[in-house]
Amino acid sequence: MKNKIILSILISFSISIFVIIFLGLIYPEPDSVASTDHEFYFKSFDPKKERIFIFGSSQMGQLNVTLVNQVVSKNYPSFEVYNLSMSSDEPSNRLPHLERTISLEPTLVIYGITYRDFQTCGFNDVPCIENDPFLLPDIKKSIEANLPKEIQENKINPAFITLRIIRDGLGESQLFTEQNKIRFPNSPFYYIDPNLHHTIIELDEELKKQSNVMKNQGLIIDVSDNGKDVKALKTIIKSLKENNIDVILYIVPQNGPYFLDNISVENKEGFNQMIDRISSEFKIPVYNFTEKYSEEKIWGDTRHISFNPRSMIFSEDFTKIILEEIEK
Amino acid sequence: MLFNTIDFVIFFILVLTIIPAIKNSKFQHVFILLASYFFFYYTSNYLIILLIFTTFWDYYFSHMIYKAKDQKIRRIIFLVSLSGNIGLLGFFKYADFAIAQFNFLGNQLDLNAQIPMLDLALPIGISFYTFHSIGYVIDVYRRQITPSKSLREYAIFIAFFPLLVAGPILRAKQFLPQLREKIDEKEIGTRLRQIIINQANLKIGMTLIALGLLKKMFFADNIAPMVNEIFAQPLGLDSFTIILGTIGFGIQVYGDFSGYSDIAIGAALILGFKIPANFNKPFFATSPSEFWRRWHISLSSWVKDYLFLPIVYRKIGSDFLLAFGIMITFIILGLWHGAGWNFILFGFLHGVYVTIETIIRKRSPGLANHWFFKKRIGKIISILSTQYLIFLAWIPFRVTNTNDMFYVMEKYIILDFQTGNIMNFLMSHKLPIALIVLFIILHLVSYRTKNIQEKISKLNLYWWTTFLTVTFLAIMLFYNGIPSDFIYFKF
């Protein structure tokens, strides 16, 4: 009898796993927003409109581009704004897609950059300091390091598939709104994920915890002219200028106590000097917003401004920059 | 190690596979102890030292207390033992809170010196295993139990993995006899019991584990995003949204913690250990004191026996002392949940509720037997009004920011509905709202059906397999791939 009970447990567990795998296969998650071969590049744009592109990483992705586009189009109906930010983007990652982007003939590119774009190690990446909080061997970490990449990166999300099946099955997209990822038409390579704290304003207590983790990991940035991302950034700006596309550098806002205070004076100085060099070499304007909202309560985590009605100042100020540049 | 991770599933399967293969009961017990230490070490690493320290400390002190002939010496040894436990708990859990209060007072008095925060990692489960240990020492001091003769046996009691990190808080007299062989119905021998996994325990235990996972992963984890969204920025929200968030949080915390308790009790039962229930449909309590007889029963009975009764001992006739005892007990109970003024307020509110109820009951002993409370409508009104107060007390438990907390409480009490917002909110949160409704329906069903776990486990194998499959499917289909912590892990 005991064996029969064990068999029952195994059967029910196996059926559940089988159903999940089966659904995963027939409903693959359309998660990839990689820019290669993305439909955005094959889209037919209105030839009468001038396009403004925003480049950058997830920190720029948090802009409310719908609002930015609405305000810009209202003031200048011939302009439209697209946010081409991508998660974890760095100039060297963007470089391979540059030709494709140039072929869409934008009028203006606003490139949002910050310390993270030039890091060789540090925050949420490979830690610079092997600062293991544990004194004894970490068994959990050793096991996790040997797991398949999909499991390590938490790419398995049956709830997302289930909700999609319910939505599709009921044939009414409003019945179960997609909670996991919010996509916007003018932001083709980035989505807002409420599960990743993209939409809430985080409490100081939590920001402090994240800040401590970051502090323990350290940060090294390579802002020398030979650094791979500096080289890539220069190549991007040069190519854009050669194609008569105006470029603006926008230095991404950062949280003061929980981010900027963790950056060393050397890193800050090196970064600012690099920006000055690039600005004077290519004669491009720089909007430095690093400390603009450093004390504001608008942060979703230590690096990202929340996508939230209370964080509108970020998108509103950004819109003003675009309007200012169009007027020039 | 979280119960809702594949790590635990593999760990538990290994334990269940190895235990029957060990024929010697002594080795079985050693294996259980080592497995428990591994379970703790896996996520807590060097903090296992505190667990081992607590074990040695109280094992030897309890023997010294027991052997001491002089009452004064017994008391001194007892106080040393107690201060060791409370000191450890206080240092790791409350040091920063105390420093923050000192610094605040210093600022008020224009003192420039600031004591730096310690920023200590809170050792997981410290509140639970310290309470296990304190309870044991008090029982030995009161001569209610004789101290365990075997360090191994005592170490298993403190570190038994299903109960180690979030309870239920166990009494030695409930657990230690289960490690020993039964001579007959009344007497327990000294020989170690052979751990046998029997079919009845396996079936009930697995049923409890499945229901626990359902409460945690299907209900609590899927209601949590809506609750988090509401309480992340509550300022400006209307009463409907606030009340919905509060109800959602009450259900979330119940699903989370009672789910954890069910898994713990189920896992222990499969290994042959019977652990008393920790929850008994608390949302059907008809009074605040009854709520605490149904919610986190192991903690509330612990504080009653080891804190409240000693305070009011022999002076139960005095209303003042009774009220004082209740308030102190509940404030400490609140503080046990976390180092913060919000938890003190949580305890304070419950203390006020129970004090008022106790004094009314004391002064009007016939009130409970009034015809109104015997009728169905009277009972429903009692349940609803009790739950209204209980859910009000959940607000400081969840909302830590003072401004937000008072705003939420105001909106909960003084109703202000904005019809336009209600529909928008409902339309954009259908899944958590559907789960809240489903939870209420299932909770009603389980209230009407006594011993539902036992009834499910008595189903024939075909229906039982169907129950397990449906439960596992519900859990997995709505699992978002990221195992979330149990709320009570923080305590």
Side-chain angles (χ1 to χ4, degrees), chain A residues 255-271:
Chain A
N255 184 293
Y258 305 117
F259 184 91
L260 289 172
D261 288 358
N262 292 337
I263 308 278
S264 67
V265 177
E266 295 78 40
N267 275 340
K268 282 181 185 166
E269 282 175 359
F271 180 80

Side-chain angles (χ1 to χ4, degrees), chain B residues 95-162:
Chain B
D96 275 347
F97 178 63
I99 290 171
Q101 308 318 306
F102 273 117
N103 287 343
F104 176 76
L105 273 176
N107 282 339
Q108 299 299 307
L109 299 171
D110 286 338
L111 299 173
N112 290 327
Q114 289 271 312
I115 306 170
M117 293 292 207
L118 300 176
D119 279 333
L120 295 168
L122 176 67
I124 290 174
I126 190 165
S127 306
F128 289 93
Y129 65 72
T130 308
F131 269 40
H132 278 164
S133 214
I134 292 176
Y136 170 81
V137 174
I138 296 175
D139 285 349
V140 171
Y141 177 72
R142 288 176 177 171
R143 298 193 191 282
Q144 288 174 349
I145 55 167
T146 53
S148 172
K149 285 180 184 143
S150 149
L151 177 62
R152 180 188 56 235
E153 188 182 77
Y154 181 66
I156 295 175
F157 163 62
I158 297 296
F160 186 50
F161 72 84

Side-chain angles (χ1 to χ4, degrees), chain B residues 212 215-216 219-221 223-224 227-228 245-261 278-279 282-283 291-292 295-296 337 343 346 350 390-391 393-395 397-398 439 485-491:
Chain B
K215 284 181 192 172
K216 162 69 179 158
F219 286 106
D221 288 354
I223 291 170
V227 174
N228 293 345
T246 311
I247 293 172
F249 179 67
I251 293 173
Q252 182 201 346
V253 79
Y254 170 77
D256 197 286
F257 191 33
S258 85
Y260 182 93
S261 296
N278 208 19
F279 289 85
F283 296 134
F291 174 81
W292 283 102
W295 178 277
H296 202 172
H337 286 87
F343 290 112
F346 166 76
H350 277 285
I390 299 298
F391 278 84
W394 284 125
I395 293 171
F397 195 94
R398 175 62 180 78
F439 174 86
D485 280 359
F486 287 86
I487 294 172
Y488 268 67
F489 264 36
K490 284 183 260 178
F491 310 143

Side-chain angles (χ1 to χ4, degrees), chain B residues 29 114 152 192 214 229 245 301 330 364 390 442:
Chain B
H29 288 228
Q114 289 271 312
R152 180 188 56 235
L192 292 175
L214 187 78
E229 191 187 319
S301 65
F330 274 96
S364 318
I390 299 298
L442 289 179

Side-chain angles (χ1 to χ4, degrees), chain A residues 1-2 4-5 8-9 12 16 133-137 139 154 156-159 162 174-175 200-201 308 310, chain B residues 38 41-43 45-46 197 199 202 206 233 235 430 461 465 468-469 472-473 476-481:
Chain A
M1 185 63 181
K2 198 164 87 185
K4 281 186 182 172
I5 294 171
S8 294
I9 298 168
S12 50
S16 314
F134 291 148
L135 304 171
L136 302 172
I139 302 174
N154 276 324
I156 301 163
N157 186 347
T162 308
Q174 285 300 306
L175 196 63
I200 63 160
I201 292 173
N308 185 286
R310 291 175 196 211
Chain B
F38 174 81
Y41 177 81
Y42 188 72
T43 39
N45 202 273
Y46 67 94
I197 297 162
Q199 60 178 58
L202 180 62
M206 198 57 220
Q233 300 128 42
L235 296 181
K430 289 177 200 106
L461 218 50
T465 310
L468 277 189
T469 310
F472 285 152
L473 267 176
M476 288 189 198
L477 284 172
F478 287 87
Y479 173 57
N480 72 2

Side-chain angles (χ1 to χ4, degrees), chain B residues 175-426:
Chain B
F175 186 79
L176 289 177
Q178 297 191 52
L179 289 171
R180 300 171 197 150
E181 197 114 271
K182 244 182 188 177
I183 295 170
D184 57 41
E185 279 309 303
K186 287 176 187 166
E187 208 178 336
I188 306 286
T190 47
R191 272 185 59 189
L192 292 175
R193 183 172 68 87
Q194 180 81 22
I195 297 170
I196 297 164
I197 297 162
N198 73 47
Q199 60 178 58
N201 285 349
L202 180 62
K203 219 174 160 193
I204 303 178
M206 198 57 220
T207 307
L208 278 165
I209 290 175
L211 288 172
L213 288 171
L214 187 78
K215 284 181 192 172
K216 162 69 179 158
M217 294 172 77
F218 181 67
F219 286 106
D221 288 354
N222 286 301
I223 291 170
M226 182 191 80
V227 174
N228 293 345
E229 191 187 319
I230 292 172
F231 292 125
Q233 300 128 42
L235 296 181
L237 297 177
D238 72 320
S239 293
F240 176 81
T241 315
I242 295 289
I243 291 170
L244 192 64
T246 311
I247 293 172
F249 179 67
I251 293 173
Q252 182 201 346
V253 79
Y254 170 77
D256 197 286
F257 191 33
S258 85
Y260 182 93
S261 296
D262 285 349
I263 301 168
I265 294 168
L269 190 62
I270 293 175
L271 292 167
F273 296 89
K274 286 185 179 149
I275 311 296
N278 208 19
F279 289 85
N280 180 22
K281 301 166 191 87
F283 296 134
F284 290 100
T286 52
S287 72
S289 63
E290 193 192 341
F291 174 81
W292 283 102
R293 288 194 295 275
R294 290 169 173 269
W295 178 277
H296 202 172
I297 300 164
S298 64
L299 175 68
S300 48
S301 65
W302 195 101
V303 291
K304 188 185 99 191
D305 291 350
Y306 299 119
L307 194 65
F308 173 70
L309 290 178
I311 292 174
V312 297
Y313 182 61
R314 286 183 194 159
K315 289 164 191 158
I316 205 112
S318 152
D319 278 358
F320 173 75
L321 199 75
L322 187 63
F324 175 76
I326 294 171
M327 289 308 296
I328 290 289
T329 304
F330 274 96
I331 287 171
I332 291 176
L333 191 139
L335 206 52
W336 177 89
H337 286 87
W341 285 104
N342 59 315
F343 290 112
I344 294 176
L345 181 58
F346 166 76
F348 177 82
L349 281 175
H350 277 285
V352 170
Y353 300 159
V354 176
T355 303
I356 293 171
E357 183 202 333
T358 310
I359 289 174
I360 292 173
R361 277 183 193 274
K362 207 175 152 207
R363 294 200 172 168
S364 318
L367 196 65
N369 295 321
H370 191 274
W371 63 267
F372 177 75
F373 296 110
K374 296 283 172 199
K375 291 215 162 198
R376 193 187 175 93
I377 184 73
K379 204 171 176 186
I380 291 172
I381 289 172
S382 300
I383 290 173
L384 290 177
S385 49
T386 300
Q387 296 310 321
Y388 178 79
L389 295 172
I390 299 298
F391 278 84
L392 172 69
W394 284 125
I395 293 171
F397 195 94
R398 175 62 180 78
V399 187
T400 49
N401 178 291
T402 320
N403 283 342
D404 290 356
M405 186 202 299
F406 287 120
Y407 175 83
V408 170
M409 288 176 116
E410 186 194 320
K411 290 287 166 186
Y412 184 88
I413 296 165
I414 303 163
L415 301 180
D416 146 41
F417 295 115
Q418 294 163 17
T419 330
N421 291 351
I422 293 174
M423 278 320 284
N424 283 342
F425 191 85
L426 289 175

